[in-house]
C-alpha cells in the first residue's frame, strides 16, 4: 500500500510537470485509406467472432466514406476535416477502399457495395495505370505540377497499394466473370515475379498471397435465400483463405 501511494504521488507530480509543456497538436483529419483499413479490420473481426457490433461499425464507416469521399464517377477524396473533403485520392485510397467494399459485400451480400468497389477500381484503372507495365502509379494523371510519378510496390508496414490493387482486380474478375480484370492482375504479378527475382520475400508478402490465388485457384461459395448472410457467416467462421463468397436473396452475379 505504501508503494502504491508513493507511485501515485510520483505520477501526479510528473503529470503536473508535463502539463506545463505545450501540448502537441491533435491530428483530427479523416483519411480514406486508413478508414478503409479499419473497415477491413472490423469485417475480419465480425467474420471471426460473429459479434454484430463490428459489422455495424464497418457499415457506418462505409456509409460515411461513400457520402463524403466517393464521387459519382468513382473519384476519391483523400482527407476530410472540418466538414469538408479535399485533396484528390492516391492509389492506396482506391486500393484499400475497393478491397474493404468487396469484403463488405461478402459478409452482407449487398450488391451495392460490390458495385461501388467496381466503380472505384475502374476509375483507378483509367487514371492511375501505367499502360507500359500494367502497374499503377501512386498518383493520378489528373494530379498537377508533378515532376515524376512514383509506384508503390514493396509490402512494408502496410501492404503496397499495387499488391492490394492486384488482389482487387483478381477478385472482381472472379465475381463478375470478367477476364480483363483477371488478366490485369496476372500482368501485375508477373511483372513483380520477373523484375524482383531474388529479392527479399519479406517485402513482397502480399504479392505472394496474390500468387497463391493463381496457384491454387479460389473456391466460389454461393449461398442463396432469406438467411444467406447468416448461413455464409457460419461457414466463414472457419479460416478459408481460398474461398470467395457470393449470394443473397436472389442470383445477381454470374456463376
Amino acid at each position: 500500500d505504501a508503494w502504491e501511494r508513493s507511485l501515485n504521488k510520483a505520477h501526479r507530480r510528473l503529470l503536473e510537470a508535463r502539463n506545463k509543456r505545450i501540448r502537441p497538436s491533435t491530428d483530427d483529419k479523416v483519411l480514406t485509406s486508413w478508414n478503409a483499413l479499419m473497415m477491413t479490420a472490423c469485417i475480419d473481426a465480425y467474420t471471426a467472432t460473429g459479434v454484430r457490433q463490428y459489422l455495424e461499425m464497418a457499415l457506418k464507416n462505409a456509409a460515411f466514406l461513400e457520402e463524403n469521399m466517393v464521387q459519382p464517377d468513382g473519384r476519391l477524396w483523400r482527407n476530410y476535416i472540418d466538414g469538408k473533403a479535399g485533396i484528390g485520392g492516391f492509389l492506396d485510397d482506391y486500393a484499400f477502399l475497393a478491397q474493404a467494399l468487396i469484403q463488405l459485400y461478402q459478409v452482407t451480400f449487398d450488391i451495392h457495395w460490390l458495385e461501388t468497389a467496381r466503380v472505384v477500381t475502374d476509375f483507378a484503372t483509367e487514371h492511375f495505370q501505367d499502360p507500359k507495365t500494367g502497374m499503377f502509379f501512386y498518383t493520378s494523371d489528373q494530379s498537377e505540377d508533378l515532376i515524376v510519378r512514383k509506384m508503390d510496390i514493396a509490402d512494408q508496414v502496410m501492404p503496397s497499394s499495387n499488391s492490394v490493387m492486384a488482389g482487387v482486380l483478381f477478385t472482381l474478375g472472379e465475381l463478375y466473370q470478367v477476364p480483363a480484370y483477371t488478366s490485369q492482375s496476372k500482368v501485375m504479378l508477373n511483372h513483380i515475379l520477373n523484375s524482383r527475382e531474388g529479392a527479399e520475400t519479406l517485402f513482397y508478402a502480399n504479392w505472394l498471397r496474390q500468387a497463391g490465388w493463381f496457384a491454387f485457384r479460389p473456391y466460389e461459395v454461393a449461398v442463396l435465400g432469406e438467411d444467406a448472410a447468416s448461413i455464409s457467416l457460419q461457414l466463414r467462421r472457419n479460416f478459408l483463405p481460398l474461398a470467395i463468397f457470393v449470394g443473397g436473396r436472389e442470383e445477381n452475379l454470374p456463376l
Side-chain angles (χ1 to χ4, degrees), residues 13-14 37 39 49 62 75 84 89 109 175 183 187 195 198 200 202 218 222 233 235 245 253:
R13 292 184 65 184
L14 285 170
L37 285 171
M39 191 197 312
T49 67
R75 182 171 182 262
K84 295 181 181 180
F109 292 150
L175 291 171
S183 63
V187 166
S195 64
E200 182 66 53
L202 175 66
L233 180 63
L235 293 171
F245 286 81
L253 287 170

Side-chain angles (χ1 to χ4, degrees), residues 90-108:
F90 297 126
L91 183 60
D92 55 352
D93 298 303
Y94 290 84
F96 294 160
L97 181 59
Q99 175 183 252
L101 293 175
I102 290 171
Q103 292 198 30
L104 187 58
Y105 160 74
Q106 291 190 81
V107 295
T108 63

Side-chain angles (χ1 to χ4, degrees), residues 75-242:
R75 182 171 182 262
L76 298 179
W77 294 112
R78 180 165 181 81
N79 70 339
Y80 180 92
I81 189 170
D82 295 332
K84 295 181 181 180
I87 305 177
F90 297 126
L91 183 60
D92 55 352
D93 298 303
Y94 290 84
F96 294 160
L97 181 59
Q99 175 183 252
L101 293 175
I102 290 171
Q103 292 198 30
L104 187 58
Y105 160 74
Q106 291 190 81
V107 295
T108 63
F109 292 150
D110 184 345
I111 195 70
H112 169 73
W113 300 121
L114 185 60
E115 291 170 343
T116 304
R118 188 176 187 179
V119 171
V120 168
T121 302
D122 286 345
F123 184 93
T125 300
E126 181 178 356
H127 295 284
F128 287 78
Q129 194 170 36
D130 175 18
K132 294 181 180 179
T133 64
M135 304 295 285
F136 287 72
F137 291 109
Y138 188 66
T139 51
S140 166
D141 59 8
Q142 297 179 333
S143 303
E144 299 178 356
D145 302 326
L146 289 178
I147 299 174
V148 65
R149 297 172 72 192
K150 69 172 185 175
M151 289 183 180
D152 175 27
I153 292 177
D155 300 317
Q156 301 188 50
V157 176
M158 294 189 292
S160 70
S161 49
N162 264 284
S163 67
V164 174
M165 186 59 76
V168 165
L169 288 166
F170 179 89
T171 309
L172 288 177
E174 294 294 316
L175 291 171
Y176 282 108
Q177 291 296 293
V178 177
Y181 287 135
T182 309
S183 63
Q184 285 183 62
S185 178
K186 192 171 185 178
V187 166
M188 296 174 71
L189 181 60
N190 283 331
H191 177 80
I192 292 299
L193 293 176
N194 293 329
S195 64
R196 299 298 191 277
E197 186 176 355
E200 182 66 53
T201 55
L202 175 66
F203 298 107
Y204 297 90
N206 200 49
W207 283 109
L208 292 175
R209 182 170 178 266
Q210 308 313 327
W213 284 102
F214 281 100
F216 299 102
R217 305 301 303 175
Y219 295 95
E220 286 189 45
V221 182
V223 186
L224 295 175
E226 293 294 325
D227 299 323
S230 60
I231 294 172
S232 172
L233 180 63
Q234 293 178 42
L235 293 171
R236 297 194 69 188
R237 293 288 292 274
N238 302 285
F239 181 57
L240 303 171
L242 289 174

